[in-house]
Amino acid sequence: MKIWSTEHIFSYPWETVIKAAMRKYPNPMNPSVVGVDVLDRNLDSQGRLHSHRLLSTEWGLPTIVRAILGTNRTLTYVKEHSIVDPEKKEMELCSTNITLTNLVSVDERLIYRPHPENPEVTVLTQEAIITVKGVSLSSYLEGLMALSMSANARKGWDAIEWIIQNSERENVPLCNLY
Amino acid sequence: MNSVGEGCTDLKREYDQCFNRWFAEKFLKGDRSGDPCTEMFKTYQVCVQKAIKDKDIPIDGVEFMGPNKEKPES
C-alpha cells in the first residue's frame, strides 16, 4: 500500500476554482479522460450538493505496470462522489477505480477550501492510497504509480488553471430571456 | 466531453450546460430555488443507465465505497 499526498495553491478565490473543477473535462492536460457522466445528483438536508459521476479513462496504469500485471485493458472506469458545501466553502471529491479491482486499487481524495489566511486564494489537498495486489514487486509498482499520480496531479492543477483562464461564455448566457 | 455511452453525448452536453449555469448562477450564490434541469437529467439518465448495462460497467449502485471497505473483485 502506498500513500501519497500533496497540497497545491490556486491564486483564485474558491468559487472560481470550484466552478472550474465542476467543468474540468475536457481539457488539453488530461486527454486520457474520454468519458464523464453524472449518475446521480441531489441536495442533502444541510444544503450540500452531492454528485455521483462515472469517468472512463484511457490512462489506467502506466504501460510498464500493465505489462507486469499482464493486462491489455486500456479503458478503465472510475466512480467519483463529490460534495459541495457552499456555506462552509468546501468541495470534497472521492474517487475509486471500479475496474481492474482485482489487480489494483486507487482511491483518491481531493478537498478544495479557501486558504485560511487569504480568502482570495484556494488550497487543494490531495491524497491517494494505491494498492497493487497479488503480485511480487507490488511495492515497486505502487511506487511507480505514485510517481505517475504526481505527474498527473500536476496536469490536473494546470487543467483547473486552464479552465479558469479560458472560461467561455457559452455556459453563462449574456441575457436570461426565458 | 463525451458520455460513456456514445449515443448519450448530446443529452449529456445539454444537461451539463443547464447544470453549470444553475451551479454558478444560483447554487453558489445561495439561491435555493429549484433545480431547472431535472427533466433533462431524467432523459439523459435513461440513456446512460442503458449504456452502463450494455457495456457491463460494474457500477454497483451509487454508494461510494471508501478505502476501508472491501471492493468486489472485477
Side-chain angles (χ1 to χ4, degrees), chain A residues 109-122:
Chain A
R109 185 173 179 230
L110 285 76
I111 306 181
Y112 295 91
R113 291 184 187 106
H115 193 284
E117 281 144 38
N118 179 359
E120 291 307 300
V121 143
T122 302

Side-chain angles (χ1 to χ4, degrees), chain B residues 31-59:
Chain B
D31 187 330
R32 294 279 166 262
S33 60
D35 177 358
C37 313
T38 32
E39 284 312 308
M40 225 177 280
F41 185 66
K42 282 181 195 162
T43 320
Y44 162 47
Q45 272 310 289
V46 167
C47 186
V48 169
Q49 291 298 334
K50 181 171 188 302
I52 287 172
K53 211 165 148 212
D54 290 345
K55 289 175 189 251
D56 220 357
I57 300 172
I59 280 292

Side-chain angles (χ1 to χ4, degrees), chain A residues 1 10 20 23 27 40 52 58 63 66 74 91 95 109 136 140 155 159 173-174:
Chain A
M1 184 171 90
F10 294 97
R23 290 158 36 215
N27 69 74
D40 189 38
H52 287 88
E58 282 290 346
T63 323
R66 261 191 274 138
T74 54
M91 175 172 180
S95 69
R109 185 173 179 230
S136 49
Y140 167 70
K155 288 183 200 166
L174 193 53

Side-chain angles (χ1 to χ4, degrees), chain A residues 29-92:
Chain A
M29 290 81 184
N30 301 125
S32 50
V33 176
V34 296
V36 179
D37 281 301
V38 180
L39 302 181
D40 189 38
R41 206 161 239 156
N42 59 85
L43 283 170
D44 67 17
S45 53
Q46 295 158 63
R48 303 181 305 173
L49 180 71
H50 291 250
S51 306
H52 287 88
R53 301 201 306 175
L54 172 67
L55 288 80
S56 60
T57 158
E58 282 290 346
W59 170 80
L61 302 166
T63 323
I64 184 169
V65 178
R66 261 191 274 138
I68 293 171
L69 294 177
T71 174
N72 282 322
R73 284 185 77 155
T74 54
L75 196 66
T76 53
Y77 292 101
V78 170
K79 74 177 174 187
E80 173 204 89
H81 175 198
S82 64
I83 306 175
V84 181
D85 188 336
E87 306 283 313
K88 217 171 143 198
K89 296 206 181 187
E90 196 172 279
M91 175 172 180
E92 179 176 348

Side-chain angles (χ1 to χ4, degrees), chain A residues 14-15 18-19 22-23 25-26 33-41 43 47-49 51-52 54-56 73 77 79-81 84-87 91 94-108 129 133 170-173 176 178, chain B residues 1-6 8-9 12-13 15-35 38 41 44-45 48-49 51-52 55-74:
Chain A
W14 183 81
E15 286 83 0
I18 291 315
K19 284 189 276 191
M22 276 301 198
R23 290 158 36 215
Y25 305 106
V33 176
V34 296
V36 179
D37 281 301
V38 180
L39 302 181
D40 189 38
R41 206 161 239 156
L43 283 170
R48 303 181 305 173
L49 180 71
S51 306
H52 287 88
L54 172 67
L55 288 80
S56 60
R73 284 185 77 155
Y77 292 101
K79 74 177 174 187
E80 173 204 89
H81 175 198
V84 181
D85 188 336
E87 306 283 313
M91 175 172 180
C94 283
S95 69
T96 187
N97 58 303
I98 57 172
T99 51
L100 298 178
T101 49
N102 56 321
L103 295 174
V104 64
S105 172
V106 180
D107 294 312
E108 209 180 356
I129 299 176
K133 307 170 193 179
E170 66 192 57
N171 286 325
V172 182
N176 280 309
Y178 30 71
Chain B
M1 188 77 262
N2 293 334
S3 166
V4 160
E6 295 79 16
C8 310
T9 296
K12 169 201 145 64
R13 286 182 190 166
Y15 166 72
D16 280 349
Q17 263 201 317
C18 180
F19 169 76
N20 288 330
R21 189 161 49 219
W22 172 81
F23 185 72
E25 295 297 300
K26 304 275 182 188
F27 179 73
L28 286 184
K29 297 189 179 174
D31 187 330
R32 294 279 166 262
S33 60
D35 177 358
T38 32
F41 185 66
Y44 162 47
Q45 272 310 289
V48 169
Q49 291 298 334
I52 287 172
K55 289 175 189 251
D56 220 357
I57 300 172
I59 280 292
D60 272 349
V62 285
E63 223 177 288
F64 174 71
M65 294 165 88
N68 296 322
K69 295 193 194 175
E70 270 306 305
K71 271 196 262 204
E73 304 256 304
S74 137

